[in-house]
Amino acid sequence: MITKIYTWFKGSTSVGKGKIYSIPNIRSEDSGEYTCQSWNEHGERRSTAVQINVTYPPKSVSVSISPSGEIVEGSSVTLTCSSDGNPPVKIYTWFKEGGTSPVGSVHSYSINSITADHTGLYYCEAQNEHGALNGTVMVTVKSQSLSAVWIAVGGGSIVLIIILTCICASDE
């Protein structure tokens, strides 16, 4: 009687024993090249490789804003969306919360000459043939008119304090 031992490999890592290797609840991490190696008292032999390609909908949607930090009226901003999916995500659609129509349909959505009306929550829908997933980013635009009022009020206060200090010093 010939005894055979079977070992399954994913790449160079042993992943199972026995004539049959089963992967219950397959995940994206299970993609790769698999081989079976058999041993008996006459020697060993490795099978030809079988490639497993697990497809899945987008996951881990990441949304970023550039430049980061304070966004001032009149400047430009770019919102970028990325996601992991197999097949790769090729359809990105941008929406502004409260709107019914898309505002953009590209990986990176740019807003030039931004105004206070652009303030709000934006979300990106990343889509492939297996599904879609959203990611969000908040855009807050600082109004230039408020900045000008703040500078004028601040400057006036400083002048007033200096005048009062000078008046008090001359009375003594």
Side-chain angles (χ1 to χ4, degrees):
M1 174 159 191
I2 298 176
T3 304
K4 287 188 177 179
I5 299 170
Y6 299 94
T7 304
W8 288 89
F9 293 87
K10 178 183 176 197
S12 60
T13 305
S14 173
V15 292
K17 300 260 186 217
K19 261 185 162 178
I20 298 172
Y21 178 62
S22 178
I23 306 172
N25 301 316
I26 198 159
R27 301 171 301 155
S28 59
E29 296 82 17
D30 294 320
S31 289
E33 189 174 271
Y34 290 80
T35 56
C36 175
Q37 187 163 14
S38 63
W39 285 276
N40 67 18
E41 61 267 11
H42 300 290
E44 65 183 64
R45 179 162 247 163
R46 189 170 285 227
S47 70
T48 57
V50 173
Q51 184 70 34
I52 294 179
N53 182 26
V54 180
T55 60
Y56 52 93
K59 61 181 180 177
S60 306
V61 174
S62 173
V63 179
S64 62
I65 187 168
S66 178
S68 59
E70 188 174 272
I71 301 167
V72 180
E73 267 188 323
S75 65
S76 296
V77 69
T78 300
L79 309 177
T80 303
C81 185
S82 59
S83 177
D84 177 29
N86 189 18
V89 173
K90 294 196 183 203
I91 301 170
Y92 293 97
T93 308
W94 286 94
F95 297 89
K96 183 177 180 194
E97 187 177 51
T100 56
S101 299
V103 294
S105 59
V106 290
H107 167 69
S108 291
Y109 169 61
S110 294
I111 305 170
N112 298 315
S113 299
I114 200 162
T115 67
D117 291 339
H118 290 106
T119 295
L121 188 65
Y122 288 77
Y123 68 94
C124 166
E125 180 182 82
Q127 181 181 356
N128 71 8
E129 63 191 54
H130 298 292
L133 189 63
N134 293 343
T136 60
V137 65
M138 183 64 181
V139 174
T140 305
V141 180
K142 183 176 179 185
S143 172
Q144 284 184 349
S145 59
L146 291 177
S147 297
V149 169
W150 172 253
I151 292 168
V153 170
S157 298
I158 292 170
V159 171
L160 183 60
I161 291 170
I162 291 171
I163 292 170
L164 289 177
T165 304
C166 292
I167 293 171
C168 293
S170 64
D171 286 342
E172 292 180 11

